[in-house]
């Protein structure tokens, strides 16, 4: 061996030896004090020579060891500005001052002094005992036999148990602290290694046991404050490749040799049966020449897997070790771990076995009661939490009520290998959790609102990783529910004490009225889970006038990231607003959870009572929006899923998801970056050992859908099919291509049939679109398929009602590519969405530049209750599988169009069905819509759910036999009472269409010779003031609109209706009038300067079509 090689080998061996020495003396901290037993009853540690506080490294890594890879610094992110949501900068000092130290106060008595104890002797192993009243007992390095395991140690209300700043180990079966347990203070952070071990077997207990059983049960005060390590977690500054022994992080860190770190996965799947997280020990930390804020960490063994750290996103790196450790003993480990990986016999995919890891029985810390105070910093917790034991969590603020963030908090702490949660806030308002890490946890980890009443807490800069659900995690992908929105109910059982743990998340939040900033979640069923609670539960289940589901964020949900979650179900996501937890029995003893879409949603409202919001927060003045800013999601089925009513999503950044998001209600999205595929290629079909070669579609039946969903779905944004108001602005879509290298189930390898920037749902005849969506300021980068329907005309669904009515307003032409305000409508509806000669058809869409006075409208016609009541059961299904038709009953045409053809002629006009929703463009030159029922216009017809902006005018024309007479009125909402309002407002017959058009919605014109009735379709109030029935309207009401960024969508008023009652026309259906011609245009020849008549738009759209 060459001398240089020998020198290198010796250097490596020395480094390893130093690491082992560091581990032996306590994770890099110097051991101080004397050995047990103390030399005298009066011995006391001097504290004159303490270890140095951990500081930043002074050695710079040789540049030859820095790989040539993409570097990210300062937690930069392209859109989501989460760099500002990082802890306040801190420069550590080697001699950090210590003031207010409990172990330096006067009046202390020594543990090892027999005079300190009533019995006259020092406690011995196995004993349970109480400290004397009005006594402050100090533990020194030599006070306790390290092999001793005491019973329960009680600290009375007037006493204190104090650990000095020395190497100390104390083990007990539990602590009951009514007084004070002090291990340092906020201004006296201890530097030596201290270990508190909580002992006991699950089998030795009668469960549920008292809080002090294997716990630190505190009704008084507890302070534990270890050395300050900064920051507690960071992100990779560059990709860490398999085989690397140096990793680079985006912060300078004062982590020490011998300490343990974890590097999170950057894969889609993260579960016990298959994951790519890694734990390593630090050999040395270096400065680098990359930047003053970038540190290099040498680890004790090479990485087994690659952890992505490109510019799009980066794996997190967290510090596990602290110098103060509270841990469960070796008996804490679960005994039911022989079956860890289960394999589905039907498709060969693996999943975590549902009935394993249920017997963990670790220690726990519970700070409880209105007088309790728990302050923790620099604490490591290991083997903590007791699986399925209520309240037995690693660190738990319990029923404290109102507090402040200087009285109850946990900062820069660590939990790992825990058996039931991580950090819990229960019945406590005003607590503070910041800069904590959690790794390898069973059940919901940061359990931040246990019963739904917890508010005004602050949760900042925390990291949760590798979170394990309890129970049947694989069910949604095993029972044909993967693609649906609704899942099965799961009641609580002995093996699933809180059924919401079956979809355990890094952060679990049932009441959002707190501050959540700068947190990160890796793994879990979801990263952040916001289930709906209609009412509080458990300790607060007697409260019946408060709805947690309707509480907003106290401050914007900001700077948070989530990844490698949302894997187990098609609608699961990194940020998940869904699921419902409730009692299902009258005695309120059995909780049931459904992880899917539920009838109780987040209807955020200033009204906190359950009575009003439970039925909808209809009072516009009380409505609130969930606001999310500067968040990032990646590596999930969906970045965000929100079944709610109102949200604002600002600067949301999403990478590598099957779909960016699915959002409900009035939602404003601005500053979105959707990068459909990054440079990171996740492991192919993780969890399916029998997967085919990359880019090869597996035969049906091989591999679960969850394993290949990401590779067969690639969507930028999904337009829903009914009842939404979405405004999407100033957003960029990148790398959304149907020829991505990982695509499967397409026409060829590397082709995705289900890939597009915008996908419009078109599968339903029951749920169909109104006016729902507006875009502006949209950019495309490396995208080749900008829109598609979710179904095809050749599918069994065929030409559906939802497919014919899909539309959106491209307010500035940035999507259509013509630079003009344009309507993008469905080409499935023949010429219905064709507004002028400048329209072009592109990929089953009609793209039309609009005049300034062009608009759109929508309404639903009620005409045959018996027939229409069958919608969704025997006709007009969701989805329409092709076997249950949705009969066509008529045709809608624009004024001035050629007469529509025969009943089955789909070449002209919109064919409307029994589900008689009519949504379409308002062409100013045309002026109106002509609706012809093939069997004759119903004698009783109501227009409901009217949606039209008051600045546009729509005339509706209907044919009737000559001699027909009419009673037409605006009917108020069903809750109207004549005792306090006007509930019917009759229309007045006038002599021309022009008068109807100039009116405000309460006029009609019957052209008996032409056999056409004309009305103006308007939106009106739900009720009217008393004694106004016959007072003519002189203006249109200022009804609420959803308005953001200069664009608006009229909000459907579900209450009132336009009632048309025709008599002298036949029976319940007036005689058909096939000879009545479509009215002429009302504004023929009028030219709008906003619409070019030349061929420029044609050329733009033609080029765009070639691009597609």
């Amino acid at each position: 061996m060459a001398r240089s090689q020998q020198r290198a080998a010796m250097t490596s061996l020395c480094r390893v030896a130093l690491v082992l020495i560091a581990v032996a003396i306590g994770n890099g901290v110097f051991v101080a004090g004397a050995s047990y037993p103390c030399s005298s009853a009066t011995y006391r540690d001097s504290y004159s020579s303490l270890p140095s506080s951990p500081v930043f490294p002074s050695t710079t890594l040789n540049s030859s060891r820095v790989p040539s890879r993409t570097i990210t610094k300062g937690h930069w992110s392209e859109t989501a500005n989460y760099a500002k949501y990082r802890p306040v900068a801190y420069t550590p000092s080697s001699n950090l001052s210590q003031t207010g130290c409990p172990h330096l106060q006067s009046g202390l008595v020594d543990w090892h002094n027999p005079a300190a104890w009533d019995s006259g002797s020092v406690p011995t192993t196995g004993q349970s005992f109480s400290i004397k009243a009005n006594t402050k007992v100090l533990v020194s390095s030599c006070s306790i036999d390290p092999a001793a395991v005491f019973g329960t140690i009680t600290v009375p209300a007037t006493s204190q148990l104090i650990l000095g700043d020395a190497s100390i180990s104390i083990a007990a079966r539990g602590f009951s602290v009514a007084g004070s347990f002090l291990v340092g203070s906020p201004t006296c952070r201890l530097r030596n290694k201290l270990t508190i071990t909580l002992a006991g077997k699950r089998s030795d207990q009668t469960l549920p046991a008292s809080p002090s059983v294997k716990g630190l049960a505190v009704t008084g005060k507890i302070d534990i404050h270890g050395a300050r390590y900064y920051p507690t977690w960071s992100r990779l500054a560059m990709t860490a490749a398999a085989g690397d022994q140096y990793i680079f992080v985006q912060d300078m860190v004062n982590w020490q040799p011998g300490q343990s770190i974890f590097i999170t996965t950057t894969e889609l799947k993260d579960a016990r049966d298959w994951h790519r997280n890694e734990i390593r020990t630090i050999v040395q930390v270096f400065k680098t020449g990359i930047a003053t804020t970038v540190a290099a960490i040498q680890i004790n063994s090479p990485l087994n897997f690659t952890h992505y750290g490109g510019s799009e996103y980066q794996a997190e790196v967290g510090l596990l070790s602290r110098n103060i450790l509270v841990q469960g003993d070796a008996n804490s480990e679960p005994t039911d771990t022989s079956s860890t990986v289960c394999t589905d016999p039907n498709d060969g995919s693996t999943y975590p076995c549902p009935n394993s890891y249920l017997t963990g029985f670790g220690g726990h810390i519970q700070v409880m009661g209105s007088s309790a105070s728990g302050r923790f910093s620099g604490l490591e917790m290991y083997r903590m939490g007791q699986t399925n034991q209520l309240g037995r969590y690693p660190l738990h603020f319990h029923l404290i009520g109102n507090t402040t963030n200087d009285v109850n908090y946990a900062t820069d702490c660590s939990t790992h290998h825990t058996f039931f949660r991580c950090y819990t806030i229960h019945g406590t308002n005003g607590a503070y959790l910041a800069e904590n890490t959690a790794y390898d946890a069973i059940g919901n980890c940061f359990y931040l609102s246990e019963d739904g009443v917890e508010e005004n807490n602050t949760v900042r800069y925390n990291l949760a990783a590798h979170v394990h659900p309890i129970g049947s995690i694989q069910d949604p992908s095993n029972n044909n529910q993967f693609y649906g929105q609704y899942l099965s109910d799961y009641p609580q059982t002995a093996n699933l004490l809180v059924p919401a743990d079956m979809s355990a998340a890094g952060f679990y939040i049932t009441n959002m009225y707190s501050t959540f900033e700068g947190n990160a979640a890796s793994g879990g069923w979801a990263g952040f889970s916001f289930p709906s609670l209609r009412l509080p539960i458990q300790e607060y289940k007697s409260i019946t006038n408060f709805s947690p589901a309707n509480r907003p964020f106290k401050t914007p949900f900001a700077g948070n990231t989530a990844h490698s979650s949302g894997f187990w179900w098609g609608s699961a996501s990194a940020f998940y607003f869904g699921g419902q937890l409730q009692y299902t029995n009258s005695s309120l003893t059995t909780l049931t959870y459904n992880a899917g879409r539920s009838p109780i949603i987040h209807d955020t409202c200033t009204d906190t009572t359950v009575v009003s919001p439970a039925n909808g927060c209809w009072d516009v003045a009380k409505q609130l929006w969930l606001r999310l800013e500067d968040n990032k999601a990646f590596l999930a089925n969906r970045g965000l899923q929100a079944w709610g009513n109102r949200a604002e999503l600002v600067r949301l950044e999403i990478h590598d998801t099957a779909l960016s998001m699915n959002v409900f209600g009035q939602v404003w999205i601005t500053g979105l970056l959707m990068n459909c595929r990054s440079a990171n290629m996740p492991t192919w079909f993780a969890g399916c050992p029998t997967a085919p070669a990359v880019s090869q579609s597996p035969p049906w039946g091989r591999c679960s859908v969850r394993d290949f969903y990401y590779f067969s779905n690639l969507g930028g944004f999904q337009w829903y099919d009914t009842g939404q108001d979405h405004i999407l602005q100033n957003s960029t879509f990148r790398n959304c291509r149907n020829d991505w290298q990982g695509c499967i189930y397409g026409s060829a390898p590397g082709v995705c049939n289900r890939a597009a920037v915008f996908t419009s749902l078109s599968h339903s005849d029951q749920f169909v679109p109104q006016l729902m969506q507006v875009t502006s300021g949209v950019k495309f980068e490396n995208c080749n398929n900008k829109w598609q329907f979710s179904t095809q005309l050749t599918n069994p669904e065929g030409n559906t009602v939802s497919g014919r009515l899909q539309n959106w307003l491209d307010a500035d032409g940035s999507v259509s590519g013509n630079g003009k305000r344009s309507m993008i409508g469905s080409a499935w509806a023949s010429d219905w969405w064709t507004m002028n000669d400048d329209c072009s058809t592109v990929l089953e869409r009609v793209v039309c530049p609009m005049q300034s006075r062009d608009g759109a409208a929508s309404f639903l016609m009620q005409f045959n209750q018996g027939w229409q009541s069958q919608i969704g059961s025997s006709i007009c299904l969701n989805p329409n599988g092709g076997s249950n038709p949705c009969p066509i009953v008529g045709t809608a045409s624009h004024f001035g169009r050629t007469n529509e053809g025969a009943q089955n002629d789909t070449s002209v006009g919109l064919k409307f069905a029994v589900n008689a929703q009519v949504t379409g463009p308002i062409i100013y030159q045309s002026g109106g819509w002509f609706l012809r029922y093939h069997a004759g216009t119903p004698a009783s017809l109501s227009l409901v759910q009217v949606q039209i902006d008051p600045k546009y005018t729509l005339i509706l024309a209907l044919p009737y036999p000559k001699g027909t007479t009419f009673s037409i009125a605006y009917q108020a909402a069903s809750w109207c009472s004549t005792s306090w309002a006007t509930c019917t407002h009759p229309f007045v017959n006038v002599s021309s269409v022009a008068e109807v058009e100039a009116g405000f919605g309460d006029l009609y014109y019957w052209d008996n010779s032409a056999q056409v009735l004309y009305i103006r379709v308007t939106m009106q109030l739900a009720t009217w003031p008393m004694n106004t029935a016959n007072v003519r309207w002189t203006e249109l009401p200022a009804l609420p609109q959803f308005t953001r960024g200069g664009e608006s969508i009229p909000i459907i008023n579900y209450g009132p209706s336009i009632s048309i009652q025709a008599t002298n026309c036949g029976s319940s259906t007036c005689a058909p009038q096939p000879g009545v011609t479509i009215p002429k245009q009302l504004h023929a020849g009028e030219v709008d300067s906003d619409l070019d008549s030349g061929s420029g738009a044609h050329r733009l759209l033609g080029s765009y079509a070639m691009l597609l």
Side-chain angles (χ1 to χ4, degrees), residues 882-897:
S883 59
N884 294 77
C886 192
I888 300 297
V889 297
T891 303
S893 300
H894 296 285
F895 289 2
R897 295 283 170 91

Side-chain angles (χ1 to χ4, degrees), residues 86-107:
R86 290 289 295 167
V88 175
Y90 169 78
T91 302
S93 167
S94 63
N95 190 26
L96 187 66
S97 65
Q98 291 182 326
T99 60
C101 298
H103 58 276
L104 297 180
Q105 63 180 305
S106 61

